[in-house]
């Protein structure tokens, strides 16, 4: 007999004796449970039958009841919490936020809330969605386009893993990865030509060179170049040493050229993190276009009898060329005129350092990239496109990510670059003399 039944029956029999004293079912301690039950059933009073029925029902309830445990309670609480979190990021919740609630807020509060979720303000977000929507539509995605873009932006802005995002949005991790790869690929291919352009148009070129001249007193500077390792969550299994940056972690190398507004006009991600800056530059499409004369800048200034075409500036890790000027010395051991030139050149170069800091500060996934190796380049380029969108829209600048201090040796001169080097050296000397004369007479 069920132990719960026996316990309850015993208690009920005590109650029965008090209700029907003519039937003494507990008269002897040697009486078995079976005889007690028979005696109870044959009593002349209705109370025993009623009590026996109650005992049977209570026994059945007790036998089917699952005892609770702290772990089960914790599991249920966690499940409720997960369901609540998932509901916060459901399509319905997103739709309510983006179509109803968002317009009831004042613009500063609205954009601040959206920026905290997706890394950019609501107007910039709608711009991204409008430009990607036609391309997403042909993919037959089961989710709304704006919801998919928002999910990917939240991953890029907060550095979330696919597993974490899947739990938050109640999706399978493989689907989150698929959507991330699709959206970043579209950003890196469809939007790149529109938002990352070499400043060849005269209006933009004049604006850029004049702004750099106001900053550095150097004429016809049109950009600043720099490279930065993008840390990988896990390096490749084959040739892992080639991906180790000079700071000791697995990475790929990002090369960008920025204008005075910290807007990138060229982006290249082609090399593992162990590659030096000069090699990466020489392997880039930008180098090929500059050396072949494919890039035509319609602006030439005369400096002390020399025709000076637009050029970019970099640090001592890059080769000295007519279209890429570098400092004389990384340690300030030159002449006063040379040190003055180096100081102004590095002042112009500071814009690209700040641009990279903003890029990694705004899209924190680039601080510890957690996507498949094959999708690393497109993810980085996608973040650069989004960075430009934010800079063009004059989004508030976040706290900059600080890369370790620059280090590296000056690159060796290639035989194919000897003539270019001498032209670059001549141009640098002319600009140095002109700068020293202009500033010394003020």
């Amino acid at each position: 007999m069920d132990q719960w039944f026996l316990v309850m029956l015993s208690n009920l029999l005590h109650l029965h004796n008090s209700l029907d004293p003519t039937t003494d079912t507990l008269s002897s301690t040697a009486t078995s449970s079976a005889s007690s039950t028979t005696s109870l059933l044959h009593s002349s009073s209705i109370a025993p039958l009623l009590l026996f029925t109650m005992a049977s029902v209570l026994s059945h309830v007790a036998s089917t009841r699952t005892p609770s445990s702290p772990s089960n309670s914790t599991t249920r609480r966690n499940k409720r919490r997960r369901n609540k979190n998932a509901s916060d990021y459901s399509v319905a919740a997103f739709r309510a936020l983006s179509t109803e609630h968002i317009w009831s807020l004042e613009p500063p509060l609205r954009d601040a809330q959206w920026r905290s979720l997706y890394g950019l303000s609501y107007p910039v977000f709608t711009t991204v969605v409008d430009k990607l929507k036609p391309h997403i539509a042909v993919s037959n995605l089961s989710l709304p386009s704006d919801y998919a873009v928002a999910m990917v932006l939240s991953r890029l802005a907060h550095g979330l893993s696919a597993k974490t995002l899947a739990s938050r949005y109640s999706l399978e991790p493989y689907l989150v990865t698929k959507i991330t790869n699709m959206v970043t690929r579209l950003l890196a291919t469809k939007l790149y030509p529109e938002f990352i352009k070499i400043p060849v148009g005269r209006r933009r070129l004049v604006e850029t060179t004049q702004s750099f001249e106001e900053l550095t007193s150097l004429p016809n500077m049109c950009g600043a170049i720099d490279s930065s390792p993008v840390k990988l969550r896990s390096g490749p299994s084959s040739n892992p040493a080639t991906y180790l940056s000079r700071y000791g972690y697995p990475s790929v190398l990002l090369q960008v050229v920025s204008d005075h507004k910290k807007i990138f006009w060229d982006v290249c991600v082609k090399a593992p993190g162990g590659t030096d800056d000069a090699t990466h530059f020489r392997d880039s499409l930008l180098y090929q276009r500059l050396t072949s004369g494919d890039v035509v800048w319609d602006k030439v200034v005369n400096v002390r009898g020399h025709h000076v075409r637009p050029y970019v500036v970099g640090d001592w890790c890059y080769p000295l060329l007519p279209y890429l000027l570098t400092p004389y010395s990384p340690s300030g051991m030159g002449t006063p005129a040379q040190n003055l030139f180096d100081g102004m050149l590095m002042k112009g170069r500071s814009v690209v350092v700040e641009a990279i800091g903003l890029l990694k500060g705004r899209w924190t996934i680039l601080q510890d990239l957690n996507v498949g190796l094959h999708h690393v380049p497109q993810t980085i380029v996608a973040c650069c496109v989004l960075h430009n969108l934010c800079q063009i829209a004059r989004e508030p600048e976040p706290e900059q990510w600080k890369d370790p201090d620059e280090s590296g040796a000056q690159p060796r001169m290639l035989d194919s670059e000897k003539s270019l080097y001498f032209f670059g050296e001549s141009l640098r000397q002319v600009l140095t003399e002109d700068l020293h004369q202009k500033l010394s007479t003020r």
Side-chain angles (χ1 to χ4, degrees):
M1 223 177 241
D2 185 87
Q3 62 175 342
W4 288 96
F5 175 79
L6 292 177
V7 172
M8 292 181 187
L9 182 58
S10 174
N11 292 333
L12 289 172
L13 288 178
H14 284 287
L15 180 60
H16 159 263
N17 288 336
S18 64
L19 294 176
D20 187 9
T22 61
T23 304
D24 185 11
T25 55
L26 297 177
S27 57
S28 173
T29 56
T31 306
S32 66
S33 298
S35 62
S36 297
T37 305
T38 303
S39 162
L40 178 63
L41 291 173
H42 286 83
S43 171
S44 59
S45 172
I46 194 173
L49 181 59
L50 177 60
L51 296 175
F52 183 81
T53 303
M54 292 173 60
S56 300
V57 172
L58 292 173
S59 174
H60 174 73
V61 172
S63 64
T64 57
R65 179 171 173 265
T66 303
S68 61
S69 65
S71 59
N72 287 339
S73 300
T74 303
T75 302
R76 285 196 296 272
R77 284 196 301 271
N78 290 340
K79 186 175 181 180
R80 286 196 298 269
R81 189 178 298 113
R82 285 195 300 269
N83 290 339
K84 181 180 184 299
N85 291 341
S87 66
D88 292 342
Y89 295 94
S90 66
V91 175
F94 173 79
R95 188 64 64 239
L97 176 64
S98 61
T99 59
E100 299 173 9
H101 175 64
I102 199 72
W103 294 112
S104 67
L105 302 175
E106 292 295 325
L109 182 60
R110 173 198 68 193
D111 293 338
Q113 179 176 355
W114 208 262
R115 203 174 287 117
S116 68
L117 293 172
Y118 308 116
L120 35 71
S121 64
Y122 187 70
V124 180
F125 169 79
T126 56
T127 299
V128 175
V129 172
D130 290 343
K131 291 183 177 297
L132 294 184
K133 195 170 185 178
H135 305 291
I136 296 177
V138 300
S139 66
N140 297 320
L141 186 65
S142 58
L143 295 173
S145 298
D146 53 352
Y147 184 72
V149 172
M151 183 177 65
V152 175
L153 290 180
S154 69
R155 183 177 183 187
L156 300 180
H158 300 289
L160 303 174
S161 66
K163 186 177 180 180
T164 300
L165 211 61
S167 175
R168 174 176 293 184
Y169 284 83
S170 296
L171 298 171
E172 293 296 326
Y174 84 90
L175 184 59
V176 172
T177 298
K178 178 182 177 182
I179 295 172
T180 301
N181 294 339
M182 177 187 67
V183 172
T184 55
R185 176 176 52 81
L186 291 175
L187 287 167
T189 55
K190 302 301 182 181
L191 268 61
Y192 183 99
E194 181 178 355
F195 291 101
I196 299 181
K197 300 178 184 177
I198 296 178
V200 292
R202 181 156 185 88
R203 181 177 178 180
R204 184 184 173 196
L205 188 59
V206 169
E207 178 192 353
T208 301
T209 54
Q210 286 181 348
S211 297
F212 271 117
E213 186 166 3
E214 291 174 4
L215 177 66
T216 66
S217 299
L218 293 172
N220 240 13
M221 183 189 302
C222 68
I225 188 171
D226 197 17
S227 295
S228 175
V230 177
K231 182 181 178 183
L232 303 178
R233 176 71 56 86
S234 58
S237 56
S238 59
N239 298 323
T242 61
Y243 284 82
L244 286 180
S245 71
R246 52 183 173 266
Y247 308 117
Y249 52 75
S251 65
V252 295
L253 200 58
L254 166 65
Q255 173 188 286
V256 292
V257 184
S258 169
D259 69 8
H260 62 290
K261 294 181 179 178
K262 304 166 198 169
I263 295 173
F264 302 131
W265 57 253
D266 187 77
V267 175
C268 180
V269 188
K270 291 187 65 175
T275 309
D276 62 85
D277 294 351
T279 300
H280 192 199
F281 171 64
R282 287 165 173 152
D283 288 341
S284 68
L285 179 60
L286 177 64
Y287 177 84
Q288 297 173 21
R289 296 188 65 184
L290 291 174
T291 53
S292 66
D294 181 49
V295 178
V296 178
W297 278 312
D298 186 22
K299 186 174 183 292
V300 180
V301 297
N302 188 294
V303 180
R304 304 172 73 86
H306 288 73
H307 295 297
V308 178
R309 296 186 178 277
Y311 56 89
V312 298
V313 296
D315 61 21
W316 49 87
C317 295
Y318 288 92
L320 176 62
L321 304 166
Y323 42 79
L324 174 52
L325 299 186
T326 60
Y328 286 94
S329 169
S331 56
M333 298 299 291
T335 65
Q338 291 175 344
N339 291 339
L340 176 62
F341 174 84
D342 286 356
M344 290 300 182
L345 183 145
M346 296 301 283
K347 192 174 183 180
R349 176 187 170 272
S350 66
V351 298
V352 71
V353 176
E354 293 176 7
I356 293 173
L358 291 176
L359 171 72
K360 292 186 177 182
R362 183 175 277 132
W363 308 108
T364 59
I365 194 171
L366 299 183
Q367 298 173 18
D368 191 16
L369 195 52
N370 52 8
V371 300
L373 189 61
H374 292 297
H375 301 287
V376 163
Q378 72 182 41
T379 304
I380 297 173
V381 174
C383 291
C384 291
V385 171
L386 293 170
H387 165 86
N388 276 10
L389 273 162
C390 292
Q391 291 301 110
I392 292 170
R394 298 183 179 181
E395 288 279 272
E397 295 185 350
E399 183 178 354
Q400 295 182 22
W401 172 260
K402 183 71 170 74
D403 274 330
D405 292 336
E406 191 73 26
S407 62
Q410 289 181 293
R412 63 184 181 86
M413 181 176 58
L414 303 181
D415 291 339
S416 59
E417 292 177 346
K418 283 184 178 179
S419 61
L420 295 173
Y421 173 82
F422 289 122
F423 277 118
E425 189 176 41
S426 174
L427 173 61
R428 184 172 65 177
Q429 184 62 38
V430 168
L431 293 176
T432 300
E433 294 171 358
D434 183 66
L435 177 67
H436 186 260
Q437 183 181 16
K438 282 192 303 187
L439 297 184
S440 60
T441 57
R442 287 184 181 178

